[in-house]
Amino acid sequence: MAAEPSELRRVEDFRRIAERTLPGAAWGYYSNGDGDNQTLMDNCDSFKRYRVLPRVLRDVSTIDTSVTVLGSMLDFPVAISPTAHHKMAHSDGEKATARAAASANTGMALSLFANHSLEEVAEAAPQGTRWFNFVLFKDPERNRVLLDRAAKAGYKAVFLTVDQPRFEYLKRITTSKGKGKTHTFYSTPNLVFPGTPPYGTEEYRSHLYSALKQPMTWDDVDWVKKNTSLPVVLKGILTAEDAQEAVRHGADAILVSNHGGRQLDGVPATIDVLADIVRAVGGEAEVYLDGGVRTGTDVLKALALGARCVFIGRPALWGLACNGEKGLLQLLNVLKEELVYTMARTGCATIADINSTLVVHENYYMSPRRNNSTIDGYQ
């Protein structure tokens, strides 16, 4: 059941209605993270620990939110993260996601585990900015085929997930932590090659587990760079050391990500490591962030700390669940309107005006040295 547009004023509204309308197993699959969900929750909570400093009396009569990402001009710096199984949210799946992103003139990263093929998604939104996210197979030929298909279908970059050294979950019969007993999965055509067992069977799961490269190494990054002409983005970097190594291996961009808290519980929230990674990269690669972005103010905080663009994962699925393509487009417009409002309050007429002086961590106000200091005669 589609939600009334008047009900959907904030991203939280989309989340609430998606929880109410999605089948329990689908909600559980989308919502849960690893372990005790510490990292999942901290991704959002950490944004709240940063404060925005308003700047006044500046000419913000016109605000331009456009930004270039890997050479593509986007209307605003919020793009769609790669997530699996969009058909669990809406029958049009990733095709609806691609159309909504194209209508908003922003980018979408398509997951290897999508319910529609690279080509189907490209045909659904031929004018959109699309990137392809994947992990490597042991068989180099499979990887070459996927890279070639992405290039021929008009994808403008490849995102290589680097924070999945093992795929143990594929050996288990997947069940939901939420309501309901089992997931209703749909086929994943980008994973199908000659000799692949029927989808959904134990044989298929075992075949996929054996076929994927575990673990990947920096040598694999070199291999991808040599076997595609597309820009390469490494998704899943959380340390300055790995960011510097990524630059040494020719990464065109880094997506600071902890996989939405789904891979390893207890790792840092992405916003907390962003500034260190930006400094480590030193402008030699573009830096993006995903994880925990829920408001336009969150977007500005990430940009102020050095991200060129932010990506949303779960919120995009909530938008789909509310009304397919229209619901996701509405969610993107909500974030854009909130970003415009926050830019106006911080005196920023363009994205280039956003800088680190606009954001401070709450610890700044709580530090004993500051609290004990005298400012203009006041304690």
Side-chain angles (χ1 to χ4, degrees), residues 11 39-48 81 256-261 268-271 289-299 301-302 310-315 318 335:
V11 168
T39 297
L40 171 64
M41 293 184 290
D42 203 34
N43 273 345
C44 296
D45 292 343
S46 288
F47 269 100
K48 296 179 176 66
S81 276
V256 180
S257 174
N258 55 34
H259 221 106
T270 52
I271 190 68
L289 171 143
D290 74 8
V293 175
R294 299 293 183 265
T295 68
T297 303
D298 291 342
V299 176
K301 290 174 182 178
V310 304
F311 284 71
I312 56 170
R314 289 182 178 90
W318 302 337
L335 285 172

Side-chain angles (χ1 to χ4, degrees), residues 218 221 234 237 241-252 254:
W218 291 107
V221 175
L234 300 190
I237 300 288
E241 293 81 3
D242 280 344
Q244 290 173 332
E245 193 70 17
V247 169
R248 283 193 286 269
H249 285 267
D252 298 280
I254 290 167

Side-chain angles (χ1 to χ4, degrees), residues 115-133:
N115 299 134
H116 292 284
S117 70
L118 285 151
E119 293 78 9
E120 288 176 311
V121 174
E123 291 169 5
Q127 303 305 315
T129 298
R130 298 176 310 281
W131 309 296
F132 177 51
N133 172 243

Side-chain angles (χ1 to χ4, degrees), residues 61-290:
S61 53
T62 301
I63 292 180
D64 180 6
T65 60
S66 63
V67 65
T68 58
V69 174
L70 295 170
S72 295
M73 179 65 73
L74 308 181
D75 276 2
F76 73 127
V78 179
I80 310 297
S81 276
T83 51
H85 297 292
H86 287 202
K87 272 195 171 185
M88 293 171 67
H90 189 271
S91 58
D92 285 344
E94 290 82 7
K95 293 193 292 185
T97 306
R99 289 193 294 261
S103 295
N105 193 30
T106 191
M108 169 202 180
L110 180 73
S111 171
L112 176 66
F113 296 85
N115 299 134
H116 292 284
S117 70
L118 285 151
E119 293 78 9
E120 288 176 311
V121 174
E123 291 169 5
Q127 303 305 315
T129 298
R130 298 176 310 281
W131 309 296
F132 177 51
N133 172 243
F134 76 127
V135 292
L136 291 175
F137 288 91
K138 293 175 182 176
D139 181 1
E141 187 56 30
R142 285 193 177 191
N143 301 322
R144 291 191 187 95
V145 168
L146 286 168
L147 290 171
D148 290 345
R149 284 175 57 192
K152 290 177 181 177
Y155 289 75
K156 297 183 178 180
V158 292
F159 282 47
L160 183 64
T161 293
V162 297
D163 62 348
Q164 284 184 296
R166 299 177 69 86
F167 295 85
E168 296 293 339
Y169 69 94
L170 290 172
K171 296 197 296 185
R172 303 190 298 267
I173 297 176
T174 311
T175 56
S176 173
K177 295 182 184 178
K179 298 172 288 183
K181 295 182 179 180
T182 59
H183 298 312
T184 302
F185 284 123
Y186 297 86
S187 62
T188 48
N190 296 311
L191 292 169
V192 176
F193 288 84
T196 301
Y199 178 81
T201 63
E202 286 297 323
E203 291 78 11
Y204 172 86
R205 211 171 351 254
S206 177
H207 168 82
L208 186 58
Y209 179 82
S210 299
L212 291 171
K213 194 172 193 304
Q214 305 179 63
M216 295 190 299
T217 69
W218 291 107
D219 289 341
D220 295 308
V221 175
D222 297 337
W223 185 93
V224 173
K225 287 289 295 183
K226 291 176 183 176
N227 282 273
T228 183
S229 60
L230 297 174
V232 175
V233 182
L234 300 190
K235 174 184 178 292
I237 300 288
L238 283 178
T239 66
E241 293 81 3
D242 280 344
Q244 290 173 332
E245 193 70 17
V247 169
R248 283 193 286 269
H249 285 267
D252 298 280
I254 290 167
L255 176 50
V256 180
S257 174
N258 55 34
H259 221 106
R262 294 175 73 91
Q263 289 303 309
L264 177 63
D265 202 21
V267 302
T270 52
I271 190 68
D272 287 333
V273 298
L274 174 62
D276 285 344
I277 289 174
V278 170
R279 283 191 291 269
V281 167
E284 296 186 57
E286 295 183 1
V287 179
Y288 321 130
L289 171 143
D290 74 8

